[in-house]
Amino acid sequence: MAVADPIARLVKELARLPGIGEKTAQRLAFHILEQGAERAGALAEAITGVVRDVRCCSVCQTLTDRDPCAICADPKRDPRLVCVVESVPDLVAVERTHEFRGRYHVLHGALSPLDGVGPSDLKIRELLLRLEREPADEVVVATNPDVEGEATALYLKKLLSPSGVRVTRIAQGLPMGGDLEYADQVTLARALSGRREL
Ligand SMILES: [Zn+2]
């Protein structure tokens, strides 16, 4: 290595980040060095803080720094209407539509047998326990409109139906193979209001 060891170490760590190649990592490392101790300290503290302070909400499994999260703690949100999403960015996307006044459940993924992702890898058990504890009238399955998302929706339908809860699925307006996170607000809002029985 032609650079000092501490720089090489930072470059190596930065290059582990998704979408960051060796060259970008090097540019970032030199940038951090130039910015000085104060900025570097703030960056380091933000990184340490996110890992230290953020955890899963014990009710809905979203990422939060207080438990229960702000949505679960909001008495104005309907606890009998639960929207199941794959990820936190998907939850944020649904929130952006301002169409949904219920609560959420974040699965942290979707079923994908080919990638070895089974039900026990998702927060499905947590969902069942939660619905036992706090029964809902309707579960809106808002997993992505792709193969994994559809498989997850059907699995949930099969799992939840015996309990008598109404299971609906968002569909209309969302392109197959798409990602909820990148859908525009109008499309997602329409998909939500046009949900149907699974
Ligand atoms: Zn929550």
Side-chain angles (χ1 to χ4, degrees):
M1 260 292 194
V3 295
D5 283 350
I7 300 175
R9 191 175 145 216
L10 179 57
V11 170
K12 202 173 136 204
E13 288 304 323
L14 290 169
R16 287 184 206 271
L17 298 170
I20 307 284
E22 187 80 16
K23 262 190 168 163
T24 307
Q26 211 166 81
R27 207 169 62 235
L28 289 172
F30 284 114
H31 179 76
I32 289 166
L33 194 56
E34 275 165 27
Q35 293 268 295
E38 201 178 313
R39 296 294 328 142
L43 176 63
E45 168 50 28
I47 293 171
T48 316
V50 81
V51 181
R52 183 189 56 220
D53 301 333
V54 177
R55 74 211 82 148
C56 286
C57 169
S58 60
V59 182
C60 74
Q61 310 298 323
T62 194
L63 298 172
T64 180
D65 61 345
R66 49 196 160 137
D67 193 14
C69 72
I71 293 175
C72 289
D74 184 350
K76 291 196 291 290
R77 311 282 307 219
D78 183 358
R80 301 197 64 91
L81 180 60
V82 177
C83 179
V84 178
V85 290
E86 289 181 21
S87 69
V88 177
D90 289 350
L91 180 158
V92 174
V94 176
E95 272 300 277
R96 266 203 307 262
T97 68
H98 304 292
E99 287 282 319
F100 185 70
R101 297 307 300 160
R103 298 195 182 167
Y104 293 93
H105 192 90
V106 184
L107 294 175
H108 292 273
L111 292 176
S112 179
L114 287 178
D115 300 315
V117 182
S120 60
D121 299 305
L122 308 176
K123 302 285 187 186
I124 289 178
R125 196 174 151 265
E126 286 80 356
L127 175 63
L128 294 180
L129 290 172
R130 170 190 179 174
L131 291 173
E132 250 171 50
R133 213 166 48 232
E134 306 166 40
D137 296 323
E138 180 180 352
V139 172
V140 185
V141 184
T143 50
N144 286 327
D146 54 20
V147 178
E148 291 81 11
E150 287 300 323
T152 309
L154 290 174
Y155 181 82
L156 289 177
K157 164 75 180 168
K158 225 169 75 185
L159 206 61
L160 298 176
S161 284
S163 72
V165 68
R166 184 172 173 230
V167 183
T168 54
R169 170 90 172 111
I170 59 161
Q172 290 84 354
L174 291 174
M176 275 305 280
D179 193 313
L180 234 61
E181 186 186 344
Y182 301 110
D184 68 270
Q185 286 179 32
V186 178
T187 306
L188 190 52
R190 198 172 299 147
L192 202 58
S193 63
R195 65 182 182 266
R196 58 176 169 76
E197 214 72 48
L198 252 178

